[in-house]
């Protein structure tokens, strides 16, 4: 039987991406054009510049996705696109492109929640993974623990009350003068540092809460740097990075294990850019072995923003009869 071919588009932040995915889990192409270099000079993503770059790149990226997959628009059965949450101007570029393709060839259109996409990235490389499982969604814009009871059924068990974990990494990297994006840079430099050199406060919130709070840790790092400077002491950046990471990850790992225990679920999956973090992978893997849980995570390229994950999610929405029409809008904020 002919496989169902999904064309997917993702432009919610600073990656312009198009992919072709067969039967939801087989990636034929996944082209990602990153704008990191463009935004580096500003220390973060500038929304207006991001929209312009998406406009500039989207046609080339889509064409390349077709070329690499050896397919044409006529072969496509379904079009999936991220419709939120994200930068509104950036989302609109992907949405307009997807709608144009859908209209031109009269193909079904499915809008995908960006976080559903991140979670779905796990299905691509783990062919046997099926719900139910607990997902730790951890990116530049989100940090939440989600109970995934079906391909399209989610319940938020806990989420950050302020900054996302990736946001904390990016902010701390900035005050350490490491550059942007901070996550991979801190991950790297922390390998040379001592995670016990400085004690930053672990924020667990109320007993049994699965919520997170990361806004205080940036202030903790800033206060430490200021007091060291005032005392005329040398700053060991690697030690600060390693200690910061450990303070964040200890809390994340503990709460993720708690979520699995309290829901009585033995499969855990990680999703989002910070899921690429080497310390998190190491710590969570060790804890999962200890607690008899099975851990899944995508390879780094599928952790950060990409269209293949959107194609996978669109396929499972379509299979359950969920489609959208051409009036589909983009939303900066959107609940899962
Ligand atoms: O999922 P993503 O590409 O975009 C959002 O949806 O936010 O995640 C980007 C975030 C950034 O904050 C980046 O610093 C962080 O993921 N990140 C990492 C690592 N790789 C990317 N954080 C920690 N360790 C990493 N290795
Ligand atoms: Zn993302």
């Amino acid at each position: 039987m002919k496989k169902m071919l999904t064309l997917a588009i993702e432009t919610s932040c600073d990656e312009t991406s198009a992919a072709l995915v067969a039967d939801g889990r087989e990636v034929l192409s996944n082209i990602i054009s990153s704008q990191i270099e463009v935004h580096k000079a500003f220390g973060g993503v500038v929304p207006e510049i991001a929209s312009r770059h998406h406009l500039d790149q989207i046609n080339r990226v889509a064409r390349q996705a077709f070329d690499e997959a050896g397919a044409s628009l006529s072969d496509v059965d379904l079009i999936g696109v991220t419709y939120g949450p994200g930068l509104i101007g950036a989302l609109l570029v992907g949405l307009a492109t997807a709608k144009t393709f859908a209209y031109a060839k009269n193909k079904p259109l499915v809008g995908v929640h960006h976080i559903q996409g991140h979670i779905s990235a796990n299905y691509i490389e783990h062919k046997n993974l099926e719900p139910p499982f607990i997902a730790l969604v951890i990116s530049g814009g989100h940090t939440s623990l989600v109970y995934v009871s079906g391909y399209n059924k989610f319940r938020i068990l806990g989420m950050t009350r302020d900054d996302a974990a990736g946001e904390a990494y990016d902010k701390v990297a900035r005050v350490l003068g490491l550059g942007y994006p901070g996550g991979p840079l801190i991950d790297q430099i922390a390998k040379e540092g001592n995670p016990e050199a400085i004690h930053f406060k672990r924020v667990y919130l109320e007993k049994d809460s699965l919520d997170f709070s990361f806004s205080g840790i940036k202030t903790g790092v800033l206060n430490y740097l200021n007091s060291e400077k005032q005392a005329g002491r040398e700053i060991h950046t690697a030690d600060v990075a390693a200690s910061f990471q450990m303070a964040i990850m200890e809390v994340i790992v503990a709460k993720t294990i708690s979520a699995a225990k309290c829901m009585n679920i033995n499969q855990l999956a990680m999703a989002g850019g910070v899921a690429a973090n080497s310390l998190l992978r190491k710590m969570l893997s060790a804890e999962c072995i200890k607690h008899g849980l099975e851990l899944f995570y995508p390879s780094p390229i599928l952790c950060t923003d990409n269209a293949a994950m959107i194609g996978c999610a669109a396929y499972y929405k379509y299979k359950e009869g969920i489609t959208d029409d051409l009036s589909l809008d983009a939303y900066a904020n959107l609940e899962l």
Side-chain angles (χ1 to χ4, degrees):
M1 208 170 77
K2 181 192 175 289
K3 288 183 177 169
M4 178 148 190
L5 192 63
T6 304
L7 164 68
I9 293 175
E10 152 68 42
T11 62
S12 67
C13 191
D14 60 345
E15 261 95 30
T16 316
S17 183
L20 281 150
V21 180
D23 278 355
R25 294 193 183 213
E26 189 189 337
V27 178
L28 305 184
S29 62
N30 187 23
I31 309 300
I32 305 164
S33 166
S34 173
Q35 305 176 4
I36 284 177
E37 287 305 318
V38 180
H39 299 286
K40 246 183 194 166
F42 305 96
V45 179
V46 183
E48 173 71 18
I49 296 177
S51 312
R52 286 173 191 275
H53 272 267
H54 285 307
L55 264 183
D56 205 45
Q57 293 297 313
I58 190 68
N59 287 339
R60 178 190 66 78
V61 166
R63 194 172 309 124
Q64 208 177 323
F66 279 115
D67 287 351
E68 208 167 277
S72 74
L73 187 53
S74 311
D75 303 321
V76 167
D77 303 296
L78 173 67
I79 295 168
V81 62
T82 310
Y83 74 113
L87 303 170
I88 198 74
L91 287 163
L92 283 169
V93 175
L95 202 60
T97 309
K99 284 185 190 177
T100 308
F101 283 138
Y103 180 67
K105 292 281 182 184
N106 198 22
K107 307 278 184 188
L109 178 73
V110 173
V112 173
H113 191 289
H114 184 71
I115 295 308
Q116 181 167 0
H118 273 303
I119 293 171
S120 303
N122 284 286
Y123 299 131
I124 293 171
E125 288 166 318
H126 306 293
K127 307 290 182 202
N128 299 324
L129 176 64
E130 279 180 21
F133 58 88
I134 301 290
L136 166 65
V137 179
I138 184 165
S139 73
H142 308 266
T143 303
S144 40
L145 283 161
V146 182
Y147 172 45
V148 184
S149 57
Y151 282 101
N152 298 298
K153 250 179 130 178
F154 308 97
R155 196 172 116 208
I156 308 280
L157 303 172
M159 62 197 292
T160 180
R161 294 188 187 166
D162 39 61
D163 290 356
E167 201 176 344
Y169 265 88
D170 294 338
K171 284 179 175 172
V172 166
R174 199 177 313 159
V175 301
L176 287 175
L178 292 176
Y180 174 85
L185 297 166
I186 290 187
D187 191 0
Q188 202 50 41
I189 195 167
K191 290 186 176 129
E192 288 144 37
N194 172 10
E196 283 162 18
I198 309 139
H199 185 83
F200 293 118
K201 193 169 174 249
R202 276 72 168 149
V203 182
Y204 285 94
L205 301 168
E206 306 81 34
K207 187 177 174 291
D208 296 334
S209 171
L210 293 175
D211 281 350
F212 300 96
S213 171
F214 299 116
S215 65
I217 192 139
K218 189 192 92 175
T219 319
V221 173
L222 263 179
N223 288 345
Y224 170 79
L225 294 177
N226 287 338
S227 68
E228 291 300 288
K229 268 181 210 153
Q230 267 169 12
R233 282 191 288 265
E234 196 190 332
I235 309 265
H236 296 279
T237 306
D239 284 350
V240 182
S243 302
F244 154 77
Q245 276 218 122
M246 191 52 87
I248 285 221
M249 292 312 183
E250 267 183 15
V251 176
I252 291 171
V253 169
K255 290 195 182 237
T256 305
I257 299 290
S258 291
K261 291 273 164 207
C262 84
M263 297 305 290
N264 204 13
I265 296 284
N266 66 357
Q267 297 191 116
L268 267 177
M270 286 200 274
V274 186
N277 184 268
S278 57
L279 179 71
L280 175 61
R281 287 175 176 223
K282 204 167 110 192
M283 285 173 67
L284 199 52
S285 299
E287 282 304 298
C288 282
I289 290 170
K290 219 191 279 173
H291 292 271
L293 305 170
E294 198 174 357
L295 179 65
F296 301 86
Y297 46 79
S299 29
I301 193 69
L302 290 175
C303 282
T304 44
D305 292 349
N306 68 89
M309 67 186 195
I310 302 301
C312 178
Y315 170 82
Y316 284 107
K317 286 187 85 170
Y318 185 75
K319 274 196 44 166
E320 289 189 9
I322 309 166
T323 57
D324 292 288
D325 60 30
L326 294 176
S327 66
L328 178 67
D329 211 345
Y331 301 91
N333 299 304
L334 185 65
E335 277 190 18
L336 186 62

